[in-house]
Amino acid sequence: MEITITAPHGFSFKRTVISHGWYDLPPFEFDEKNWTLSRVIDTGEARPVTAKVSAAGRDLKVSLSRKIGKRAASKIERHVRHMFRLDDDMAAFYEVMAQDSDFEWIAKAGAGRLLRSPTVFEDLVKTISTTNCSWALTKKMIDGLIGSLGRRGSDGRRDFPTPEAMASMTERFYRDEIRAGYRAPYLKELAERVAEGSLDVETWLGSELPTSELKREMKRVKGVGDYAAENLLKLVGRYDVLALDSWVRSTFARIHNGGRASADKKIERYYSRFGEWRGLALWCDMTREWMDRDEQFTTW
DNA sequence: GCGTCCAGGTCTACC
DNA sequence: GGTAGACCTGGACGC
């Protein structure tokens, strides 16, 4: 079964897929050869379904692992639109970028849509799992969570675990099985708070709080510090934060400072001209070469 | 194979 | 508000 989803003008499937590391973390599965991104999606039915997303001209083609009903199909479309940020209005961002010769490539390339998970909860758990460790360890933790707790779909692949499933496990499980180390109590506590309803992280998506207050709220979650909160802010559509980590600092040093380490203040000054878009401008700047290496520097 | 060092953000205690 | 040290893992390195 297939669904076609209309993408906005200027949307780049490839740029969005590899906009950051999420495509490399399950339940996302990236097929580099055929340029497809698939993942298990919970439609609220007995079994989750696997959706394989690819570009079809300017639109998106979603191939499903089994036949589903109208309601489930509409849920899949909603999730795909959310993950690929198809409803984000990029016009204002592109207009600002077009004023600067070093950044005008962004609109032409259709960059700036950051891939995200179907839920803020999944993005939050993944973000905590990226902090203070190598990417290999992050993958190991997420692999472990999904392999142990993810609901199996019709084709045997697993979805990201629900807060309830994560809350039901012990701290020892996170420490010994997931290898989450000192993050173990944080993951357990987060899952419990979300499962019992005392913390609703999905509301961060439409929050009307100023960014600084929303960031403060995010940092009340154990394991979420400045970097994690700012990374998450970008995923919920706030770009007036930079989310500086070691990779961004070293990349900035290489690209803009002759290889010498830069003070955070200098990085902040460099992107301050982009105002509310500075975080997204920074990220596009840092990742520009991810696709320059290939031939795919066109919008489609 | 073993021990040591280091990188990677966040938390807590302290000033 | 700022800072130091602990937290924990895995990889790199030397022996």
Side-chain angles (χ1 to χ4, degrees):
Chain A
M1 180 175 176
E2 272 185 19
I3 305 173
T4 299
I5 298 177
T6 309
H9 177 70
F11 170 76
S12 167
F13 174 73
K14 291 182 176 180
R15 272 277 176 193
T16 306
V17 169
I18 62 158
S19 53
H20 64 122
W22 264 205
Y23 72 87
D24 192 31
L25 283 183
F28 285 116
E29 277 183 46
F30 176 48
D31 178 350
E32 195 175 359
K33 201 171 158 198
N34 298 305
W35 267 98
T36 61
L37 186 71
S38 50
R39 70 163 288 149
V40 177
I41 296 178
D42 185 2
T43 59
E45 295 177 313
R47 288 212 149 187
V49 61
T50 295
K52 186 191 283 184
V53 187
S54 57
R58 267 184 43 198
D59 296 331
L60 293 182
K61 183 178 82 181
V62 184
S63 308
L64 302 172
S65 55
R66 62 179 165 81
K67 204 166 184 307
I68 55 172
K70 245 187 181 173
R71 189 181 295 179
S74 129
K75 203 161 186 177
I76 295 277
E77 174 165 359
R78 208 162 55 240
H79 279 316
V80 171
R81 299 196 76 82
H82 176 83
M83 290 187 286
F84 285 85
R85 322 286 288 249
L86 297 183
D87 298 315
D88 285 15
D89 184 359
M90 307 300 286
F93 172 61
Y94 288 158
E95 198 175 314
V96 173
M97 295 300 103
Q99 309 299 314
D100 192 307
S101 58
D102 289 333
F103 290 78
E104 62 183 359
W105 67 270
I106 294 174
K108 292 177 188 161
R113 292 176 204 270
L114 305 180
L115 183 73
R116 59 187 172 188
S117 309
T119 64
V120 176
F121 176 72
E122 182 180 326
D123 280 338
L124 176 52
V125 171
K126 283 178 170 173
T127 298
I128 291 173
S129 304
T130 64
T131 58
N132 206 18
C133 64
S134 63
W135 187 248
L137 180 56
T138 298
K139 286 180 79 167
K140 191 171 182 176
M141 286 187 257
I142 301 301
D143 273 341
L145 280 177
I146 291 169
S148 303
L149 304 174
R151 209 151 66 97
R152 233 185 251 282
S154 51
D155 60 353
R157 296 198 223 181
R158 290 177 187 267
D159 194 6
F160 194 81
T162 60
E164 291 75 17
M166 283 184 63
S168 70
M169 305 308 284
T170 62
E171 188 181 315
R172 179 173 281 274
F173 163 80
Y174 290 103
R175 205 176 283 276
D176 297 345
E177 305 289 322
I178 303 303
R179 312 299 294 164
Y182 68 90
R183 303 168 199 80
Y186 305 161
L187 294 176
K188 166 87 175 150
E189 183 186 307
L190 167 64
E192 282 176 343
R193 289 176 63 193
V194 173
E196 73 190 15
S198 62
L199 174 67
D200 185 357
V201 297
E202 305 306 320
T203 61
W204 292 348
L205 270 175
S207 170
E208 292 186 359
L209 288 174
T211 302
S212 58
E213 281 180 41
L214 185 55
K215 180 178 169 183
R216 233 190 326 271
E217 193 174 318
M218 290 173 168
K219 284 179 70 174
R220 286 197 202 106
V221 174
K222 287 265 185 69
V224 176
D226 280 329
Y227 161 73
E230 293 187 4
N231 185 59
L232 213 53
L233 280 164
K234 289 183 182 178
L235 293 178
V236 300
R238 310 284 187 113
Y239 303 113
D240 49 344
V241 290
L242 298 183
L244 300 179
D245 64 1
S246 56
W247 182 81
V248 167
R249 291 185 180 101
S250 68
T251 305
F252 182 89
R254 179 170 57 79
I255 296 176
H256 295 299
N257 210 37
R260 297 181 309 278
S262 315
D264 288 356
K265 290 277 177 210
K266 181 170 183 174
I267 304 177
E268 284 164 19
R269 266 199 312 277
Y270 187 86
Y271 295 101
S272 62
R273 61 193 140 140
F274 300 119
E276 63 177 315
W277 299 106
R278 57 190 181 273
L280 195 51
L282 170 144
W283 188 251
C284 290
D285 194 26
M286 297 294 97
T287 58
R288 175 176 184 170
E289 59 193 24
W290 285 6
M291 283 201 62
D292 283 357
R293 281 195 297 264
D294 300 328
E295 88 291 359
Q296 307 96 346
F297 195 61
T298 52
T299 302
W300 59 281

